């Protein structure tokens, strides 16, 4: 099984991520931001990953460092668990309905970090999470995993549903991108010879 443990420690945050790619969707996540915990629960369940995260940070200052660094650490865990990335699909996408909301996620684990999050929320908080930091989470993940992450809510009324839909779509797209492709076997999914 492809697994990884990441310990990321800065002056602002201390984060430990334990990840199993071929998991059963089990999770135990505590970041100090309950809504972020819930969204990461969804990533684990919909991605069929086993995921444990413990994060402490300077939440008395702001949520930014914790949210971004959790994204970076999760991305680093995925990258470490994938190893050379030989034989993986490399790219994946998913379109996720959530009641009145429709969201799409597309991921390419091609070695270059870039994130685009098109989420038009009219609220400052979703639950206890500062909504402007959702983009920072995915920026951090893209940096840590060295991949492209594109997220878009096509339409929706409820801010909660919009955010939940993109995290569910993200988990399912990541599952496809990380999955082994029998036809590729041990090939690197790149014509450059490097990811």
């Amino acid at each position: 099984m492809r697994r990884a443990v990441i310990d990321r420690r800065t002056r602002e945050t201390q984060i430990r991520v334990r990840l199993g790619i071929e998991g059963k969707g089990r999770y135990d996540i505590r970041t100090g931001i309950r809504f972020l915990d819930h969204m990461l629960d969804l990533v684990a369940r919909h991605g069929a990953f086993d995921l444990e995260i413990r994060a402490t940070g300077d939440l008395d200052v702001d949520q930014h460092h914790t949210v971004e660094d959790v994204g970076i650490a999760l991305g680093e865990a995925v990258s470490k668990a994938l190893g050379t990335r030989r034989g993986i699909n490399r790219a994946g996408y998913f379109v996720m309905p959530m009641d009145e909301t429709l969201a799409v996620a597309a991921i390419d684990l091609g070695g270059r970090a870039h994130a685009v999050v098109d989420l038009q929320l009219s609220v400052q908080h979703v639950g206890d999470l500062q909504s402007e930091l959702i983009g920072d989470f995915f920026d951090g993940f893209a940096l840590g995993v060295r991949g492209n992450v594109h997220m878009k809510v096509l339409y929706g009324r409820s801010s909660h549903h919009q955010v939940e839909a993109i995290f569910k779509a993200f988990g399912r797209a990541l599952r496809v991108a990380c999955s082994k492709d029998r036809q590729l076997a041990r090939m690197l999914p790149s014509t450059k010879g490097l990811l």
Side-chain angles (χ1 to χ4, degrees):
M1 286 184 63
R2 296 172 293 169
R3 297 183 172 277
V5 176
I6 295 291
D7 270 304
R8 178 180 171 82
R9 297 183 180 276
T10 72
R11 291 182 180 174
E12 299 158 341
T13 61
Q14 298 80 46
I15 299 166
R16 181 175 176 84
V17 176
R18 184 182 305 272
L19 171 72
I21 298 283
E22 290 86 13
K24 299 197 181 303
R26 292 181 290 233
Y27 52 84
D28 185 4
I29 299 166
R30 296 179 208 161
T31 66
I33 306 167
R34 188 61 194 110
F35 194 80
L36 179 61
D37 296 350
H38 178 45
M39 294 303 101
L40 295 171
D41 295 347
L42 296 172
V43 170
R45 181 55 53 93
H46 286 266
F49 306 121
D50 289 341
L51 181 61
E52 181 182 317
I53 299 176
R54 292 290 181 275
T56 56
D58 55 356
L59 293 176
D60 57 321
V61 174
D62 188 68
Q63 293 182 348
H64 179 270
H65 300 139
T66 299
V67 172
E68 183 177 55
D69 287 2
V70 166
I72 292 169
L74 179 58
E76 289 174 345
V78 171
S79 186
K80 184 176 179 182
L82 292 177
T84 66
R85 303 187 188 199
R86 289 185 180 279
I88 65 169
N89 283 324
R90 175 179 154 171
Y93 70 91
F94 200 84
V95 179
M96 187 76 202
M98 173 82 187
D99 295 342
E100 84 296 343
T101 298
L102 190 65
V104 64
I107 297 172
D108 177 18
L109 302 175
R112 293 180 310 279
H114 194 82
V116 176
V117 179
D118 188 352
L119 177 65
Q120 307 296 321
L121 296 178
S122 59
V123 296
Q124 291 184 340
H125 288 83
V126 181
D128 62 342
L129 175 64
Q130 292 172 242
S131 56
E132 69 179 7
L133 300 180
I134 294 165
D136 295 327
F137 170 84
F138 290 112
D139 284 343
F141 179 84
L143 180 67
V145 80
R146 296 183 347 268
N148 293 172
V149 178
H150 291 253
M151 314 290 295
K152 182 174 179 66
V153 172
L154 302 174
Y155 50 81
R157 177 195 51 78
S158 164
S159 297
H160 183 114
H161 289 170
Q162 290 181 50
V163 176
E164 189 164 331
I166 66 168
F167 274 90
K168 286 178 177 177
F170 171 74
R172 289 187 175 264
L174 185 60
R175 178 180 177 180
V176 173
C178 292
S179 293
K180 296 272 191 168
D181 183 323
R182 281 186 282 150
Q183 193 171 352
L184 286 173
R186 298 285 304 148
M187 280 193 306
L188 193 65
S190 171
T191 57
K192 290 188 305 240
L194 178 69
L195 284 181

